[in-house]
Amino acid sequence: MMNKKLSPEDAFYENLTLGLIRTLSNVPRVCNVTLERRQPLNACQVVNWEQRHCVYLPEDMKKFYLSSDGFILNWSYQYAPNDIRRVGHIHFPHLLQVTLLRENIETTASHSSNSTALPNSNSDVMGASSSQSLPAPVASGKDKWGNATPIITAKSKIFEINNVNEVAKVCMLYESTSSNNPKFYLLELSTLSWQFLADTFSEYLRMAIAHLGLPYWELCFSTCGLPSWTEQLFLLLAPHLLEEHEQRRGRILNPACEHPYNIIDPNIFRGKPKSVAKATASSTKQNHNK
């Protein structure tokens, strides 16, 4: 029996998620695998975001948003015959939801182990500017895995990509506004310390897929570690990700043949076929007019 040919849009998301949906559907006890599909942004919308924040998106991230304005992938796990819970989650926000953190987080987020204060409630709101003065540049150190922590200066800009269980934030950090090569870090809120995640947007996307969207997977790279119930899921579905010698800890992303979904080609970030996008937009407009 021949495989059913995928539609152009299905093929796009199959490539974007590196076959993860099909892989998860074949895993015992994993069910209800769903993907929220979104329309691409146009070039003007991307430029407007860049002008508002006075930075340039890295090229791979720009191509991603010109292909799909983020996406959400969810899946559930069947713990018992009548106990099915949604646990798996990969979330890439709408570009407008990629928000700029206020500088009172940016500049106090040093890697001092003595700091235990949480940021105040006003720290997380979006703001393109702040009247607060910035201290001298923060000296660079090393994170838990020996990667360099960022140097924060008056020219640095930090954007929130995701909030991880209210204990950490995934941040895209420009050490200088003149750069278009931001890096991705985990900011631990209890200690305001930085843990390096990825050099590029493509690598961060690849890591999310390689970790199957397991809940709070980013905390694998934190000092606090995973919640116990999440660790049990890792042990059941992807125990190799918890091994101390796991290669991602050393940033050597050279997957073994038994883990073929760890590679991503930025060339997949291309626009959906125009006919598909137009048909979806027309359908959306009709529904709105009803």
Side-chain angles (χ1 to χ4, degrees), residues 49 93-95 97-101 105 123-126 158-164 166 168-173:
W49 186 94
H94 295 285
L95 183 58
Q97 294 175 320
V98 177
T99 57
L100 181 64
L101 293 181
I105 278 189
S123 302
D124 301 0
V125 298
M126 179 175 65
I158 304 173
F159 295 87
E160 179 179 342
I161 304 296
N162 274 315
N163 191 311
V164 186
E166 301 299 331
K169 292 179 184 291
V170 176
C171 296
M172 176 174 66
L173 190 148

Side-chain angles (χ1 to χ4, degrees), residues 76-98:
S76 300
Y77 189 77
Q78 184 176 15
Y79 287 88
N82 297 317
D83 185 8
I84 297 177
R85 305 179 197 178
R86 199 195 82 180
V87 291
H89 185 69
I90 296 178
H91 176 220
F92 282 85
H94 295 285
L95 183 58
L96 283 176
Q97 294 175 320
V98 177

Side-chain angles (χ1 to χ4, degrees), residues 94-222:
H94 295 285
L95 183 58
L96 283 176
Q97 294 175 320
V98 177
T99 57
L100 181 64
L101 293 181
R102 293 292 294 271
E103 282 140 331
N104 54 346
I105 278 189
E106 295 177 25
T107 57
T108 56
S110 67
H111 41 272
S112 170
S113 59
N114 296 326
S115 175
T116 57
L118 285 167
N120 62 43
S121 59
N122 295 324
S123 302
D124 301 0
V125 298
M126 179 175 65
S129 63
S130 172
S131 60
Q132 298 181 28
S133 59
L134 297 173
V138 178
S140 179
K142 299 287 186 179
D143 68 9
K144 178 181 177 182
W145 308 103
N147 300 294
T149 52
I151 300 175
I152 310 298
T153 71
K155 294 183 179 181
S156 301
K157 288 202 173 184
I158 304 173
F159 295 87
E160 179 179 342
I161 304 296
N162 274 315
N163 191 311
V164 186
N165 197 28
E166 301 299 331
V167 300
K169 292 179 184 291
V170 176
C171 296
M172 176 174 66
L173 190 148
Y174 291 80
E175 291 195 0
S176 168
T177 52
S178 62
S179 168
N180 65 340
N181 296 306
K183 295 184 179 181
F184 291 76
Y185 292 88
L186 193 67
L187 172 60
E188 298 186 27
L189 299 181
S190 62
T191 59
L192 294 175
S193 60
W194 297 96
Q195 307 297 333
F196 176 74
L197 284 178
D199 274 313
T200 64
F201 174 80
S202 294
E203 185 181 342
Y204 175 63
L205 172 58
R206 173 174 58 191
M207 290 170 70
I209 294 170
H211 286 80
L212 311 178
L214 283 159
Y216 314 139
W217 66 265
E218 293 96 338
L219 296 183
C220 285
F221 300 89
S222 70

